[in-house]
Amino acid sequence: MDLNLSGQVAIITGSSSGIGRACAIALAREGVKVIINYHSDAEGAEAVRQEITQRGGEAISVKADVSKEEDVEDLVESCVQAYGHLDIMVANAGLQADAAFTEMTLEQWNKVINVNLTGQFLCCRAAARIFRKQGVHKHGRAAGKIVCMSSVHDEIAWAGHVNYATAKGGVKMLMESMAQELAQDKIRVNAIAPGAIKTDINKDAWEDEESLEKLLTLIPYGRIGQGEDVAKVCAFLVSDAADYITGATLYVDGGMMLYPGFRDNG
Ligand code: BGC
């Protein structure tokens, strides 16, 4: 399928590693000019930029803390300055700061809510303002496309990760309410909810055999996901092939949402 994304411009937050990195590379492969946003891993961002440009793609990297309003404004501004327009926002940046509920500090709570939820609000708002001003132009049928990176934990409760699950539950309602409000402006807003994808964020769950085996009992499809599994869905969602999809959450999880514990139980 030709996704016809060539010449479009995308910001992918938190794309110096993990799922964000895979999305940046996949979109660049489709001819999208990519802004690789990072918070502190300048080296990682530079490696992604080089990987893209060596394959003939276009990319710049921009440092910004997505939880800070001025940083997000500057990020979007530097994109418009570099490329003249913006077509795609992938609000991906996220982190975990895990703790048992009764041990969780206010700092851990705030950190995760600020980056994973407020960060998405700030990035989506900044992008939507530009999309609305731009209107539908020569690049595609929509005025702009937003993908919020969610998680199976927008639905599945997660002991020991209450801050993270709460933020992702919030992302679901943020995404759906934005989609409802912005559809009249021809802005499409969707979410991808990954399950267990092999990245640094969940290293504990896959780095030794025993942990991986335990993790796999949660995944009917029988394998851990790769960044590319998510990135391909992201490329589809921001393309005109998905022009009639808005307000949807696509679970990319090998069936984790099917609650496999019920296979022979209940
Ligand atoms: C989390 C991972 C976890 C996965 C499935 C993701 O959103 O970031 O750490 O492995 O959900 O539980």
Side-chain angles (χ1 to χ4, degrees):
M1 184 173 17
D2 182 4
L3 294 177
N4 231 347
L5 289 169
S6 192
Q8 298 198 28
V9 178
I11 295 175
I12 298 110
T13 65
S15 49
S16 55
S17 68
I19 291 173
R21 172 182 181 276
C23 290
I25 290 170
L27 291 183
R29 204 174 282 158
E30 297 295 332
V32 176
K33 298 170 193 162
V34 160
I35 282 79
I36 304 155
N37 156 253
Y38 66 98
H39 174 242
S40 43
D41 184 10
E43 236 172 76
E46 177 54 19
V48 178
R49 196 191 64 79
Q50 281 184 20
E51 187 164 343
I52 289 172
T53 53
Q54 275 161 15
R55 288 191 193 153
E58 257 186 79
I60 56 171
S61 63
V62 179
K63 180 179 166 73
D65 178 343
V66 296
S67 68
K68 299 215 169 99
E69 193 170 22
E70 319 82 78
D71 278 26
V72 173
E73 298 302 319
D74 289 350
L75 169 66
V76 170
E77 185 52 38
S78 48
C79 164
V80 175
Q81 282 206 349
Y83 295 123
H85 57 109
L86 175 66
D87 307 285
I88 298 161
M89 169 61 79
V90 183
N92 166 78
L95 46 80
Q96 288 181 210
D98 308 329
F101 182 61
T102 48
E103 306 309 316
M104 187 172 283
T105 63
L106 179 60
E107 200 188 348
Q108 285 170 318
W109 171 266
N110 283 339
K111 190 173 178 184
V112 173
I113 299 294
N114 289 347
V115 173
N116 296 15
L117 182 56
T118 308
Q120 292 213 10
F121 159 68
L122 290 172
C123 292
C124 296
R125 187 186 63 175
R129 284 174 175 165
I130 292 186
F131 296 158
R132 190 178 263 172
K133 223 185 321 163
Q134 249 169 214
V136 178
H137 60 134
K138 61 180 180 173
H139 291 297
R141 298 181 68 180
K145 285 90 57 164
I146 291 174
V147 173
C148 296
M149 203 54 73
S150 186
S151 164
V152 290
H153 298 296
D154 71 342
E155 282 280 340
I156 301 179
W158 207 16
H161 311 259
V162 165
N163 47 3
Y164 185 87
T166 303
K168 294 302 185 182
V171 164
K172 184 176 168 63
M173 210 28 92
L174 168 67
M175 181 279 288
E176 290 177 4
S177 299
M178 285 192 299
Q180 195 186 63
E181 189 165 337
L182 299 173
Q184 63 191 8
D185 299 300
K186 290 268 175 228
I187 299 170
R188 292 194 299 108
V189 188
N190 292 291
I192 300 176
I197 308 296
K198 192 173 183 182
T199 68
D200 284 346
I201 207 171
N202 58 0
K203 212 171 181 181
D204 290 351
W206 53 261
E207 67 182 344
D208 62 83
E209 230 167 273
E210 201 183 316
S211 310
L212 182 61
E213 211 171 289
K214 191 165 158 227
L215 178 68
L216 289 178
T217 64
L218 297 176
I219 310 172
Y221 203 58
R223 69 168 174 86
I224 192 168
Q226 301 295 332
E228 295 71 40
D229 289 315
V230 176
K232 283 177 190 156
V233 176
C234 181
F236 162 71
L237 262 187
V238 300
S239 77
D240 281 354
D243 190 53
Y244 209 48
I245 303 181
T246 192
T249 297
L250 296 190
Y251 290 90
V252 181
D253 65 349
M256 200 173 233
M257 287 292 288
L258 301 172
Y259 296 94
F262 277 84
R263 218 163 9 197
D264 52 7
N265 204 348

